[in-house]
Amino acid sequence: MTDSPDTSAATTEHGLAAERARRLDHVAALRNDGTNPYPYRFDRSHTLAEIRSAHGGLQAGTETEVAVAVAGRILLKRDQGKLIFATLRDRDDEIQLFVSRAVVGDDLFARIDDLDLGDWVGVHGIVMTTRKGELSVKVSGLELLAKALRPLPDKWHGLADTDTRYRQRYADLISNDDARRVFAVRHAIIASFRRTLAAKDFVEVETPVLHVEAGGAHARPFTTHHKTLDMGLYLRIALELHLKRLVVGGMERVYEIGRVFRNEGISPRHNPEFTMMELYQAFGDYSDVMAITEELFAAAARDAIGTTVIDVNGLSVDLAEPFRRVRMIDLVREKTGVAVHPSQSVEALRSLAAEHNVRTEAQWGSGKIIEELFEALAEHALIAPTFVTGHPVETSPLARVDRNDPHLTERFELFVGGRELANGYSELNDPVEQRLRFEDEQRAKEAGNAEAGTVDEDYLRALEFGMPPTGGLGIGMDRLTMLIANVPTIRDVILFPTLRPEVLD
RNA sequence: GCCCCUUUAGCUCAGUUGGAAGAGCAGCGGACUUUUAAUCCGUUGGUCCAGGGUUCGAGCCCCUGAGGGGGCACCA
């Protein structure tokens, strides 16, 4: 490997190309020596975390007789002449390799010296601590498990360029602790949800992503096409309508954690594909699912970060405490000083909106204007967790009318840090009323509202078989992860966020 | 879709008034038996995002475009 001929690419290329060429030469030299630079497997006896938990308290300058076989990636190397110190990392931890020329012999020492940062290795050795007390594996044997051809990002600063971090998430995960932390939090939250729901006898199901009707939410869908059936299809914008069909079918408690797609803008809070958890519980109403929401959030925080106290825009919030509940119309009254209600005339509400510089459209009814007033005046100020309830019927076509007020629904949206995180309601289960609501949606769509829904005849047929009273809930898992992991952008909680295609040379 | 910011070595970043493109890390060569962002000596490495323009001269000024970020709009 040191005697690569002068004709090798490494001597003619520059920069990154030279670095790759040098490492490729190295791979070729290993093969010439009969060493497979990409062997098939390695028998590991311990993870690095297991070693740390068993021997973390070892006194400085101690050598045990514990033989281990560990595997990981070489991140740092400190060549000290006849000693080499290297930092090895596996999925959860790092440990130092201690390599003594006197122990491993000249040949292996030279091969270890030749390792590049980024190489994967399998190591045999014994557990020890150095004079300074650093837990280490004293290497007796080492084999290359996979050669890295490209140099790692900066060993101290990691990868900082946002573009590169999102496009080359592998490099981000290698070099940035925080990236690894955030995705560990994300996994812990999802695992926590599954445990909480399993304990409540919910059944996890999978429903179609390809929809003939894009219903269950107000959003512009993606379209696609099936070749053999020669038909247009939508990617789902919500899980709702299929899950409720399952409640009709008698499954009683169902949930799905799945990807939904909305063909809308991209922002620090919006990715075109994102993950929703939706659940439906027979015999319950919106009060039941508000309680479940609080329980899911508190358990997820506890499981993911070990505490229910989180920071929201500089405000310390304890998710274990009940969330504030307030009606949408009361929030609008607080902000405007005027009592509002969907029973009021469109004209009166339109002039109130104009007073507060809230733009309205001609086809909007009273309920839609109230919701716009709420979004413009009150939403951004809801920092601590707040259930906003009592949405107008006009903007909630799948929610059941409030048992005490025919103009409002038994619906809530949960806001934290000024962002919507969850949405739920007492589900409308009267097929006759549901048809009327769908027909209103259809009219709005025909009037040019691309986000409006259509009449889903199969869903109506399902409701005609009878759906028990049901409470439903949807939670945006990406936003919940942002909240608990305390990161400012949704791209930091999605492994591969949507980007324009990279131009490769 | 509109507005603002940004793009310099593999990575992290400087670059003054428009006057010879730099540092640290990584790499390469050398020293070093308890280092830990090891240290020390030497050293390679550039389409300054792309294309135009102004100028004796452009990384820097102007125009157009591209990627990314933020805001608005849309939305969860």
Side-chain angles (χ1 to χ4, degrees):
Chain A
M1 49 210 83
T2 49
D3 58 355
S4 45
D6 287 351
T7 53
S8 78
T11 60
T12 56
E13 305 271 359
H14 296 295
L16 179 61
E19 181 66 14
R20 284 187 70 244
R22 182 185 68 76
R23 296 189 188 203
L24 282 167
D25 284 349
H26 193 148
V27 167
L30 287 169
R31 289 203 167 104
N32 278 338
D33 293 347
T35 303
N36 182 357
Y38 300 100
Y40 285 87
R41 64 187 315 281
F42 180 78
D43 284 313
R44 173 164 72 174
S45 69
H46 296 76
T47 66
L48 301 183
E50 284 167 349
I51 292 175
R52 188 169 303 282
S53 99
H55 303 286
L58 212 56
Q59 269 197 324
T62 309
E63 200 159 299
T64 70
E65 293 182 346
V66 181
V68 294
V70 296
R73 166 177 263 129
I74 299 287
L75 289 182
L76 296 170
K77 219 170 56 173
R78 298 175 288 280
D79 185 341
Q80 240 268 308
K82 296 190 177 67
L83 289 180
I84 297 169
F85 299 92
T87 303
L88 182 75
R89 180 161 73 213
D90 68 9
R91 59 185 285 176
D92 294 317
D93 209 344
E94 294 175 4
I95 210 160
Q96 177 168 268
L97 301 181
F98 178 96
V99 187
S100 164
R101 188 170 190 159
V103 170
V104 300
D106 292 353
D107 193 56
L108 179 56
F109 193 82
R111 283 192 284 122
I112 293 173
D113 203 26
D114 272 340
L115 288 172
D116 286 302
L117 304 187
D119 288 351
W120 288 90
V121 295
V123 176
H124 291 273
I126 58 161
V127 177
M128 60 164 278
T129 52
T130 62
R131 286 177 201 164
K132 296 271 176 63
E134 182 73 29
L135 185 64
S136 307
V137 171
K138 185 174 185 178
V139 176
S140 55
L142 179 145
E143 63 175 293
L144 183 64
L145 298 182
K147 186 70 189 166
L149 298 182
R150 290 174 182 265
L152 295 182
D154 191 279
K155 71 181 182 185
W156 183 243
H157 301 95
L159 195 56
D161 183 67
T162 49
D163 188 2
T164 312
R165 283 185 49 228
Y166 300 143
R167 289 187 198 282
Q168 301 180 33
R169 184 65 88 180
Y170 34 88
D172 186 37
L173 290 167
I174 290 168
S175 58
N176 292 329
D177 294 342
D178 201 55
R180 290 192 297 279
R181 176 190 71 85
V182 166
F183 292 106
V185 167
R186 183 180 178 117
H187 167 258
I189 291 169
I190 291 173
S192 174
F193 267 47
R194 290 201 161 103
R195 275 195 300 278
T196 300
L197 294 174
K200 294 179 179 298
D201 282 332
F202 277 85
V203 172
E204 182 168 11
V205 299
E206 291 164 282
T207 64
V209 171
L210 299 176
H211 283 194
V212 175
E213 312 262 1
H218 285 136
R220 186 187 303 267
F222 283 92
T223 56
T224 186
H225 185 264
H226 188 275
K227 186 169 183 297
T228 303
L229 297 179
D230 188 22
M231 68 175 182
L233 289 164
Y234 298 107
L235 300 188
R236 65 184 175 187
I237 58 172
L239 313 176
E240 176 153 357
L241 296 177
H242 282 92
L243 292 177
K244 286 195 283 195
R245 283 172 169 92
L246 299 178
V247 176
V248 169
M251 293 181 76
E252 293 192 8
R253 296 186 178 198
V254 296
Y255 76 98
E256 179 168 5
I257 298 174
R259 203 74 55 83
V260 300
F261 307 84
R262 298 189 183 176
N263 204 343
E264 286 158 357
I266 295 180
S267 84
R269 295 158 295 281
H270 302 266
N271 195 66
E273 50 179 308
F274 63 103
T275 300
M276 292 268 295
M277 189 292 302
E278 288 193 27
L279 68 79
Y280 293 85
Q281 175 175 325
F283 316 122
D285 64 11
Y286 75 144
S287 303
D288 296 293
V289 289
M290 274 191 270
I292 291 175
T293 305
E294 290 172 328
E295 193 176 334
L296 284 167
F297 273 45
R302 209 176 286 119
D303 290 342
I305 59 173
T307 174
T308 56
V309 179
I310 58 167
D311 175 272
V312 186
N313 299 9
L315 183 72
S316 182
V317 167
D318 189 349
L319 294 174
E321 291 172 4
F323 302 163
R324 178 188 177 206
R325 300 182 186 198
V326 57
R327 293 194 303 174
M328 181 180 284
I329 56 174
D330 294 333
L331 283 169
V332 174
R333 191 196 50 208
E334 264 178 37
K335 293 293 174 183
T336 62
V338 177
V340 295
H341 195 269
S343 60
Q344 293 164 342
S345 76
V346 175
E347 291 71 27
L349 287 163
R350 194 172 286 151
S351 65
L352 180 65
E355 274 175 47
H356 291 87
N357 296 314
V358 174
R359 190 185 52 85
T360 57
E361 290 179 18
Q363 70 272 24
W364 288 2
S366 301
K368 174 67 174 169
I369 296 173
I370 287 172
E371 189 160 309
E372 288 290 320
L373 281 165
F374 159 74
E375 287 177 10
L377 304 177
E379 181 179 311
H380 65 277
L382 299 175
I383 306 304
T386 305
F387 287 120
V388 175
T389 64
H391 296 57
V393 173
E394 178 184 350
T395 59
S396 310
L398 298 162
R400 191 165 179 156
V401 162
D402 190 305
R403 63 199 76 182
N404 301 312
D405 185 334
H407 294 92
L408 303 181
T409 57
E410 294 198 357
R411 179 181 175 191
F412 66 89
E413 288 179 300
L414 174 65
F415 291 87
V416 188
R419 290 197 282 262
E420 184 190 341
L421 265 78
N423 181 20
Y425 27 90
S426 301
E427 302 294 337
L428 177 54
N429 63 345
D430 175 343
V432 174
E433 185 179 348
Q434 183 68 75
R435 177 177 293 279
L436 295 174
R437 303 265 201 105
F438 273 158
E439 286 169 356
D440 286 344
E441 287 285 298
Q442 181 85 53
R443 273 191 291 277
K445 192 176 198 69
E446 282 158 8
N449 181 352
E451 287 88 37
T454 52
V455 179
D456 186 333
E457 289 291 348
D458 179 71
Y459 179 68
L460 290 171
R461 178 170 58 192
L463 288 189
E464 288 181 6
F465 279 92
M467 183 168 81
T470 297
L473 168 66
I475 293 175
M477 300 306 289
D478 312 273
R479 288 183 175 181
L480 178 58
T481 304
M482 290 168 66
L483 180 74
I484 291 177
N486 194 21
V487 296
T489 163
I490 199 167
R491 296 183 195 89
D492 285 338
V493 302
I494 293 176
L495 283 165
F496 299 100
T498 305
L499 298 172
R500 286 195 170 84
E502 183 178 11
V503 180
L504 296 164
D505 358 282

